[in-house]
Amino acid sequence: MLSPEFGHFTLALACCLAGAQCIIPLMGAKVKNNRLMALASPLAWGQFLALALAFACLITAAVTDDFSVLNILQNSAADKPLLYKITGVWGNHEGSILLWAFILALFGAIVSAYSHHLPLSLRAKVIAIMGGSAAGFELFCLMTSNPFLRVSPAPLDGQGMNPLLQDPGLAFHPPILYMGYVGFAVPFAFAVAALLEGKVDAAWGRWVRPWTVLAWALLTCGIALGSWWSYYVLGWGGYWFWDPVENASLLPWLTGTALLHSALVVEKREALKIWTILLAIGTFSLSLSGTFLVRSGILNSVHAFASDPARGVFILLLLGVISGGALLLFAWRAPTLTSTGIFTFFSREGSIVLNNILLCTMAAVVLTGTLYPPFVQLINGQTLSVGKPFFDNALIPIALFLFLVMAIGPVIAFKKGNIQQTVKTLSIAACLSIISIVIAFIYLHQIFPSLATGLSIWIILSSCSDFIKHIALFKTSLNNSMKRMVGLPQAFYATNIAHIGVAITVLGIVGMAASQQKIVEVPINTTIHLAGYDWTLTNIADRQEANFIATEAVIRVSKNGKVITWLFPARHYFDRQKQVVTDVAIHTNFLSDLYAVLGDSKNSTQPTPLFVLRLHYNPLAPWIWLGGFIMAMGGFITLTDRRFRIGTPAQRKKIKEA
Amino acid sequence: MKQITRRRLLWSLPFATAAVAGGGFFSMLSGLRKGNFDPREINIPVINKPIPSFSVASQPPSTGFNQQELQQQTKPILINFFASWCIPCLREMGVLQQLSSHIGIWGIAYKDKPDAVSGFLQRNGNPYQRIGQDPEGNISIDWGLSGVPESFLVMPGGIIKWHYPKPLTVTSTQTLLSLLQ
C-alpha cells in the first residue's frame, strides 16, 4: 500500500491540491463568491493528508530497508538502529525538503482549523498564500529533489548514514527547527492577506500574534538544540561558530523577535503596522533564503548538504516569486495603511520601536558578515572569510544596549510613560546592577563581559521589581498579594520569563568566555591539573558495539583528594563509513561543566602509549541552553492566554483593592 | 496623492535591496554552473610577493634547493608540491610531463618518505628538474600551502607570479603558459 510510487503520486497530488488551494480562494475573493472562498479549508486538509501519506511512504521505505529507493540506499543501512532509520529520513537533502513541505502543509491545516472566527475573505486569502508557498516547495521536491527515485537492480545493503547524525539530539533538531522556520509562513500569509485586504487593525494583530509566538518559540528550541548538539557531540568545546548555516537560523530569529514585539503594539494600540507587516515578510523571506543559501552551495558551511546549482536556481525563483511578490505588494499597498495610535518616545511603544531598530541592526550585521565573502568573491574574485572577531565586535555593543532597553521597556506604560514612576520602580534594581558590574569587573578585568553580567542581572532584577510592584508586596496583606499574583495576566508572566531566559543565556555565554582548557598527550595513570581539579587518566579499553568499535577512556576527577566524578570520553569507529565520532564526556552540576574529549592516539605501538586528551572547565555553560528553553517556555505560556482563543477583545480583570 | 507616490518609492527600498541580492545570487549560481565561481576556492595573498626563506633537503634522484638558488634562476620556475600518497597528484603527473618541456619544474615532496617518493617517480615518470623534501610539512606552511598538489610560478628574482591550489589541468596550464609569453 505505502509503496514509493504511491508516495510519489501523493506528493504530486499534494502539489496540485496546493496549487488549487492558492488559486481558487483568491479567485473567490476577487469575485466575492463565498462558496469558492469556503473551499480553502477542505483543500488545505486534502493537501495535508496527501503529504502525510507521502511522508509515511518514505518512512515505510526507510523502516523496511527498501534499498531499491535511491534515497534510502544512500542514507540508510540494515544494521542501523530503528530510531535512526526513521530520523535518517530527514537527515539528507531530499527527505528534509519533504519534511519542510509536510510541516508547511501541517501548518496550513492547523490554520484552517483554528481560523473559523476570521472574516471569510481574510481567511481565504491567508490559506491561499499558505497553499501557494507549499505548492512551490512541493514542486521543488518533485522536480529537483525527489526522494522516491528507484534504482535497479536493488543492492542488498545501503551505504549507511553519517554517524555524526546518529544522535538523539540531532534526530529532533531538524523537525523542531523547521517548524520554527515554516511557522513564520503563517504571519507572512497574514501580512500578505492584510495587504491584499488593505486593512490592518487590532483584531488582525491579535490573530497574528499567537502564530508568531509559536513559530518563534519553536525556532528558539530548534536553535538551542542545534547549539547544544554541537557542544556535546562535536567535542570542539564550543556552542556557536558563526557558521553560515547557524547565521541563517539566527537571522529569522532576530527579525522574528522584533516581529512578535511589534505585533503586540498593533494589537494593543493600532500602531507600528508597517513595521509589523515588513517584519513578517522579512522573517519568512530570511527563513527561505537560509534554506536557499545552504542548499545551493553558495555558502561554505559545515552543514554539507549535497548542493547543486540547479536546485539553487529553483529555490531562487521560488524566493523571487514569494518574497519578491510580497515586497512589491508591500511597496504598493503599505503607504495606504494608516496608524491611529499616537505615542511619545518614552512609552512602551517607543521602547518597542527601539527594540525593533536594534534587532534589525543586529540582523543586518549578521547578514552582512554572512554574505560579504561570496559577494566580494563575485565582484573581484578575492576569497576571504568573516569570523568570530567581526561578529563579536559588531554585535556585542548593540546587544548590550538592547539588554539595557529590554529591562526598562516592560515597566513603561503604553502611550505616554511616567518617567518618575519608572525610576521609582527600578531604582533599587539599577543600584544593585551597577554594583554587580563593578564586582564583575574586579573579577574579570574585562569591560564587555562585566557589562554583560551586570546587564543580565539588571534584566532579572527589573523583572522582579516589576513583579513586586504588581503584587504590591508588603504594601498590602500577604493574602491580597497572593490573590494579585494569581490574577496577573499570563502575558505578564510570559514576558518576564522570556526576558529572564535571555539574561540566563547571556550569563552562560559570559561564563563560557571564561572557560579554561588544556590539550595534553599523556600515558595512562597521569594526573592533569585544570581549574582546581585533578583529572587522572586511569584506563583505556576497546569494546565492540552494534555498528561501531568504541575506544573508551576512564578519567577520575577529584578535588582536594575527594572524587567528584568519573568521566568516560570515547571514540567510536564506524567501520562502514570509515569514520570516527568522538563521544564527549560531560559532568555538570548546572553551575559548571567538566568536559573531556579523547583525541587520536598516534603511537600505540610503543611500550607506554600516549593518549591525547582535551579537558575543559566551562563555567555556567548549561545556562546557555537552559536560558533558550526558558525563553521558549515564556512563548508557550503566552499561547495559553484566553484572548487568543476567543475572537473578542479581552476585558482586563479588575483586582479588588483591600 | 503626491505624498503616496513618495512613500511608495520609499517602501520599495526593501524590494530593491532584495532584487539586488537576488541578482547577485543568480550570477553566483550561473558562475557555479560554468565553473568560474567556487565558494570553496582558496586564494592566498601570495601573488607578486617574494618567496619565503626556506631550504629543502635532497630527495633522490635529485639534490635539494633553497631560497637563494631559486632567486638566482634566470628563467621562471614552477614549484610543485606533491606527495606519493595523493591520488590527484598521480592524475596531475601527465600534465606535468607535458609541461616540463616548456618550463623547469621543481618539486617538493610534502609529508612523505624518501623511498615512497622514489618509487612513485619510477612508476609514474619524473617531470622534476630538482626535488626537495618537506617531511614535517613546516616549509609548506611558510609557502601558505593548503593541500597537495599545489603549484607556484616563481619568476627570476624570486617573485611569485601565479598560484594554483588544485591539480593542474590542460586549461590551467594554458593560463600558465600565457603568463610566460
Side-chain angles (χ1 to χ4, degrees):
Chain A
M1 159 72 192
L2 290 174
S3 69
E5 278 68 32
F6 183 69
H8 193 172
F9 167 75
T10 46
L11 177 59
L13 178 69
C15 187
C16 298
L17 287 171
Q21 181 192 336
C22 179
I23 294 161
I24 294 171
L26 284 180
M27 297 239 309
K30 185 98 185 136
V31 300
K32 300 212 166 27
N33 179 328
N34 287 1
R35 276 195 173 167
L36 289 181
M37 286 198 271
L39 272 176
S41 183
L43 282 169
W45 278 103
Q47 186 220 342
F48 166 65
L49 288 175
L51 257 188
L53 281 172
F55 200 63
C57 289
L58 192 59
I59 289 187
T60 308
V63 172
T64 56
D65 289 336
D66 185 349
F67 296 119
S68 69
V69 179
L70 180 66
N71 184 279
I72 308 297
L73 165 71
Q74 284 170 338
N75 302 294
S76 187
D79 63 359
K80 206 165 74 166
L82 179 66
L83 172 70
Y84 301 131
K85 279 182 184 168
I86 297 170
T87 62
V89 164
W90 52 78
N92 57 75
H93 168 80
E94 290 83 0
S96 64
I97 294 291
L98 187 65
L99 174 71
W100 177 289
F102 170 70
I103 294 173
L104 192 49
L106 171 70
F107 269 97
I110 299 176
V111 167
S112 62
Y114 282 91
S115 59
H116 290 290
H117 53 273
L118 258 61
L120 187 61
S121 78
L122 180 74
R123 183 186 181 206
K125 282 171 185 166
V126 168
I127 297 175
I129 303 298
M130 295 285 294
S133 328
F137 260 91
E138 283 141 24
L139 209 57
F140 174 60
C141 208
L142 283 166
M143 288 174 67
T144 67
S145 18
N146 183 354
F148 297 109
L149 291 178
R150 294 260 203 182
V151 281
S152 179
L156 289 172
D157 200 354
Q159 294 156 3
M161 178 182 176
N162 183 342
L164 265 182
L165 307 180
Q166 299 188 30
D167 177 273
L170 201 68
F172 302 104
H173 156 71
I176 291 176
L177 190 70
Y178 287 1
M179 278 185 192
Y181 279 146
V182 171
F184 282 115
V186 184
F188 170 84
F190 267 98
V192 174
L195 287 173
L196 290 169
E197 293 272 296
K199 198 177 89 171
V200 175
D201 55 9
W204 181 89
R206 194 166 43 252
W207 293 319
V208 170
R209 226 159 64 82
W211 296 107
T212 309
V213 171
L214 176 68
W216 176 87
L218 288 166
L219 185 63
T220 308
C221 283
I223 295 174
L225 266 178
S227 153
W228 187 44
W229 174 82
S230 77
Y231 175 75
Y232 82 89
V233 169
L234 294 179
W236 301 342
Y239 56 95
W240 191 265
F241 299 97
W242 296 110
D243 179 82
V245 175
E246 290 172 344
N247 296 351
S249 70
L250 187 64
L251 285 166
W253 189 86
L254 290 167
T255 56
T257 310
L259 169 65
L260 69 94
H261 288 88
S262 41
L264 176 83
V265 178
V266 173
E267 183 196 354
K268 299 264 193 212
R269 304 270 305 125
E270 299 222 355
L272 305 195
K273 291 176 184 178
I274 291 186
W275 262 115
T276 309
I277 296 276
L278 186 58
L279 284 169
I281 294 172
T283 303
F284 186 54
S285 302
L286 286 169
S287 298
L288 285 180
S289 18
T291 317
F292 158 72
L293 289 167
V294 178
R295 309 299 168 106
S296 63
I298 283 183
L299 289 178
N300 239 329
S301 160
V302 294
H303 294 69
F305 277 99
S307 55
D308 168 358
R311 285 172 189 164
V313 170
F314 195 106
I315 307 189
L316 189 59
L317 285 172
L318 197 63
L319 256 174
V321 172
I322 294 177
S323 306
L327 287 171
L328 266 181
L329 187 67
F330 171 81
W332 188 248
R333 277 294 177 79
T336 59
L337 299 173
T338 48
S339 283
T340 51
I342 299 167
F343 54 90
T344 59
F345 173 71
F346 191 79
S347 63
R348 183 86 60 93
E349 296 94 322
S351 71
I352 286 180
V353 170
L354 195 55
N355 154 75
N356 288 354
I357 292 171
L358 291 171
L359 282 166
C360 288
T361 311
M362 286 171 87
V365 167
V366 177
L367 192 66
T368 308
T370 310
L371 292 183
Y372 189 75
F375 271 91
V376 164
Q377 197 188 344
L378 183 72
I379 291 161
N380 63 8
Q382 267 188 312
T383 51
L384 48 85
S385 59
V386 173
K388 191 174 154 60
F390 165 80
F391 289 107
D392 283 0
N393 293 329
L395 289 173
I396 288 174
I398 310 173
L400 291 177
F401 188 47
L402 182 67
F403 301 149
L404 186 72
V405 177
M406 215 171 109
I408 307 170
V411 182
I412 309 173
F414 277 103
K415 199 167 178 180
K416 186 172 185 303
N418 182 333
I419 297 184
Q420 273 175 324
Q421 203 163 18
T422 313
V423 170
K424 205 175 111 185
T425 311
L426 296 178
S427 56
I428 299 172
C431 291
L432 288 172
S433 308
I434 290 166
I435 292 168
S436 69
I437 291 179
V438 173
I439 293 171
F441 189 76
I442 291 168
Y443 272 95
L444 300 168
H445 305 297
Q446 286 171 303
I447 189 76
F448 279 155
S450 326
L451 280 174
T453 310
L455 286 168
S456 305
I457 290 167
W458 163 237
I459 293 166
I460 296 170
L461 289 178
S462 66
S463 283
C464 295
S465 313
D466 200 23
F467 179 64
I468 289 169
K469 190 188 122 204
H470 270 86
I471 63 170
L473 196 65
F474 310 128
K475 289 205 171 80
T476 163
S477 71
L478 208 59
N479 197 1
N480 217 332
S481 285
M482 288 294 282
K483 272 196 197 131
R484 281 166 169 262
M485 213 159 98
V486 177
L488 279 177
Q490 273 105 330
F492 177 86
Y493 285 116
T495 304
N496 285 299
I497 286 173
H499 283 200
I500 287 172
V502 174
I504 288 175
T505 295
V506 173
L507 286 172
I509 291 172
V510 174
M512 266 300 260
S515 74
Q516 300 174 46
Q517 58 166 306
K518 255 187 193 170
I519 301 176
V520 291
E521 193 171 11
V522 291
I524 287 181
N525 287 329
T526 323
T527 299
I528 303 118
H529 305 283
L530 173 69
Y533 292 87
D534 297 330
W535 314 57
T536 312
L537 176 66
T538 56
N539 192 14
I540 288 202
D542 284 357
R543 194 178 71 236
Q544 177 73 45
E545 291 278 344
N547 52 355
F548 59 86
I549 300 167
T551 306
E552 198 173 69
V554 181
I555 297 175
R556 185 181 63 231
V557 185
S558 52
K559 195 169 186 170
N560 308 330
K562 208 173 96 211
V563 176
I564 304 275
T565 182
W566 294 83
L567 294 174
F568 307 102
R571 294 170 69 76
H572 296 166
Y573 176 70
F574 286 78
D575 194 44
R576 179 190 300 278
Q577 294 89 351
K578 302 273 181 284
Q579 194 175 338
V580 174
V581 174
T582 55
D583 183 22
V584 182
I586 301 173
H587 171 77
T588 184
N589 58 4
F590 295 104
L591 281 174
S592 65
D593 279 1
L594 304 172
Y595 183 106
V597 184
L598 176 63
D600 220 350
S601 56
K602 276 188 292 199
N603 39 14
S604 51
T605 50
Q606 288 184 356
T608 49
L610 299 176
F611 299 96
V612 176
L613 291 175
R614 225 185 42 230
L615 309 173
H616 295 246
Y617 168 76
N618 297 331
L620 300 187
W623 289 28
I624 296 175
W625 306 287
L626 183 72
F629 293 120
I630 291 175
M631 279 183 236
M633 200 171 76
F636 289 125
I637 290 174
T638 307
L639 296 177
T640 62
D641 204 313
R642 280 179 72 252
R643 282 172 312 140
F644 295 139
R645 291 203 294 267
I646 316 167
T648 53
Q651 292 292 319
R652 273 187 161 257
K653 281 190 193 163
K654 291 275 187 294
I655 297 155
K656 281 205 290 269
E657 282 288 345
Chain B
M1 203 60 225
K2 200 151 188 209
Q3 202 195 358
I4 283 276
T5 318
R6 217 174 329 135
R7 282 168 85 187
R8 277 193 176 139
L9 281 175
L10 178 68
W11 293 128
S12 49
L13 280 178
F15 175 78
T17 317
V20 170
F25 290 146
F26 188 78
S27 44
M28 283 177 208
L29 287 173
S30 46
L32 274 174
R33 269 187 168 167
K34 290 193 194 104
N36 57 14
F37 177 88
D38 178 12
R40 282 162 188 72
E41 202 168 89
I42 300 150
N43 273 335
I44 46 172
V46 293
I47 307 291
N48 297 331
K49 296 256 166 65
I51 52 170
S53 82
F54 75 99
S55 161
V56 281
S58 69
Q59 155 71 49
S62 147
T63 54
F65 51 93
N66 58 25
Q67 182 194 8
Q68 283 81 14
E69 277 180 272
L70 191 53
Q71 275 171 344
Q72 285 154 8
Q73 295 299 314
T74 52
K75 284 195 176 140
I77 297 289
L78 188 75
I79 297 288
N80 175 265
F81 286 85
F82 73 104
S84 66
W85 44 261
C86 137
I87 305 292
C89 304
L90 184 68
R91 285 213 307 270
E92 193 190 38
M93 275 296 158
V95 180
L96 285 178
Q97 296 285 13
Q98 287 169 3
L99 199 61
S100 60
S101 55
H102 300 276
I103 179 173
I105 307 174
W106 293 11
I108 296 178
Y110 172 78
K111 287 194 179 177
D112 214 341
K113 297 187 181 74
D115 302 354
V117 177
S118 311
F120 177 80
L121 295 173
Q122 271 164 11
R123 284 192 304 275
N124 306 302
N126 183 353
Y128 304 109
Q129 290 176 350
R130 311 273 293 269
I131 312 171
Q133 50 165 310
D134 181 16
E136 298 294 322
N138 293 337
I139 290 144
S140 308
I141 291 175
D142 294 338
W143 279 80
L145 196 80
S146 54
V148 276
E150 194 159 328
S151 309
F152 297 82
L153 176 63
V154 181
M155 302 313 270
I159 298 291
I160 297 170
K161 187 158 179 190
W162 184 75
H163 159 242
Y164 199 72
K166 286 180 269 197
L168 288 163
T169 57
V170 177
T171 16
S172 52
T173 48
Q174 245 123 40
T175 318
L176 170 65
L177 293 172
S178 69
L179 283 173
L180 299 178
Q181 299 311 323

